[in-house]
Structures are given as structure tokens and as C-alpha cells.
Amino acid sequence: MEDTKIIDLYWRRDERAIAETDSKYGIYCHAVSMNILGVREDAEECVNDTYTRAWNAMPPERPGRLRLWLARITRNLSFNRWNRDRAQKRGGNMYVLLSELDECIPDPKGIEQIEDAKELGGIINAWLACLTEKDCTVFMRRYWAGESVTDIARSCGMSANALSQKLARMRRNLRKYLGEEGVAL
């Protein structure tokens, strides 16, 4: 079913909207959540919560790109779950993933110098636009979707070590770009 028809179902408060959403985007949302949480049951719960959030948000919202809108909700719910679980016990794949970005994303005190977190997002998006499509995809798969270096490397036809080095260069480049844009690191 087309996204516009799924969104129309939400707007009409037709419960088929959730079934159609799950049919079309359930596997994708589950993968996003699993890459962050690593626990199937937790990921399933976050995906179900995504559908509830979508139901409560439409109307009045009418997402332009339903797949990305759902992924953002799933990702945010998964990070919230991960943070809650991490408060109880440290560790896990996401801790490693986020620690890789520590060197180039400002700490919360530094963000005060930026008017708004959206401005930082805009700066990072401008940096991403400067990358090749392949590099942008690799960066987003690693740091937005939380995919493992091994999985990304395999799909790109390169070794995990080569991809790790490429990601390290990209992080250094991002750090340099943020500094040039006046972001306190």
C-alpha cells in the first residue's frame, strides 16, 4: 500500500493503519531498533511503541516520508530504552558506537554555544552533503542506524579493518568541519 493511503488510514482512525504500517515497514523499524538495543524483545516493544506514537501523532501530523518518520520515532524510542537500561548497567554495542563519536560531537556544555541543537543537526547535514553517496551511506548506516562495522564492510565488499579506518578518517573530517563552523568541541 502506498504511504499516502497508509497515512489516510491514520487520519480516518482506521486500525488497519497499524497493520499496513507493520506490513510495509515492520522489518525495517525492527532492524533499526535491533541495531541499537541488540535484544529482540526490547526491539519488538520499541516497534510496537512506534506504532502507538504514530497513531497518536496522526492527525495532526502528516509525514512527508513515512519510512524516515517511523525510523526516527523507532530510533528515539530505542535510544531512550538503551539509556534507561544503561543507567542500570553499563556496556553494550551502543556504548561503543557512541564512544566512537565522542571525539567529534561536542559535549552538552559545548552545545550551549550553539543556539539550538537543530543548528548542529544542520551543520552535520551540510557535512554529510559534501560526502560521496557511498561515504554518506556508510556513515549513516554506522552512526544513525547503528549497524556493525562487519555488516557494513561485507555489503560494501571491503574488510572490516579498512572500513574502520575509513570511519576514523570520516570522524576526523567531521571534527575538523565542526571546528571550522565554530562548534566548540
Side-chain angles (χ1 to χ4, degrees), residues 1-11 17-18 20-26 28-29 50-51 53-55 57-58 61-74 144:
M1 179 179 280
E2 292 180 28
D3 288 356
T4 55
K5 292 185 189 230
I6 294 172
I7 292 168
D8 288 342
L9 289 174
Y10 279 103
W11 275 69
I18 293 174
E20 292 294 338
T21 302
D22 186 54
S23 174
K24 188 167 184 180
Y25 296 116
Y28 176 69
C29 289
T50 296
Y51 300 152
R53 291 269 175 104
W55 181 264
M58 290 187 277
E61 262 189 80
R62 187 175 281 279
R65 296 173 71 186
L66 185 59
R67 180 178 192 253
L68 296 177
W69 188 76
L70 292 167
R72 185 177 65 231
I73 293 170
T74 303
W144 194 88

Side-chain angles (χ1 to χ4, degrees), residues 100-144:
E100 290 177 11
L101 288 174
D102 278 349
E103 67 188 44
C104 45
I105 301 296
D107 77 21
K109 293 176 220 143
I111 287 183
E112 293 171 2
Q113 296 177 355
I114 301 173
E115 288 182 22
D116 181 3
K118 287 184 180 181
E119 185 176 340
L120 176 61
I123 293 169
I124 293 172
N125 284 337
W127 175 77
L128 288 168
C130 296
L131 300 177
T132 66
E133 185 176 343
K134 182 178 179 181
D135 285 352
C136 182
T137 300
V138 165
F139 191 87
M140 295 299 290
R141 286 178 66 184
R142 178 67 180 145
Y143 298 112
W144 194 88

Side-chain angles (χ1 to χ4, degrees), residues 33-95:
S33 189
M34 274 298 293
N35 287 336
I36 294 168
L37 298 171
V39 177
R40 186 178 52 82
E41 293 82 9
D42 291 349
E44 287 174 5
E45 189 175 324
C46 285
V47 171
N48 288 333
D49 289 347
T50 296
Y51 300 152
T52 301
R53 291 269 175 104
W55 181 264
N56 291 331
M58 290 187 277
E61 262 189 80
R62 187 175 281 279
R65 296 173 71 186
L66 185 59
R67 180 178 192 253
L68 296 177
W69 188 76
L70 292 167
R72 185 177 65 231
I73 293 170
T74 303
R75 184 175 183 271
N76 290 340
L77 289 169
S78 298
F79 271 122
N80 289 344
R81 176 72 176 247
W82 179 80
N83 282 327
R84 188 186 75 219
D85 292 349
R86 183 172 169 245
Q88 295 169 0
K89 62 179 183 208
R90 287 186 62 100
N93 293 337
M94 195 50 57
Y95 182 76

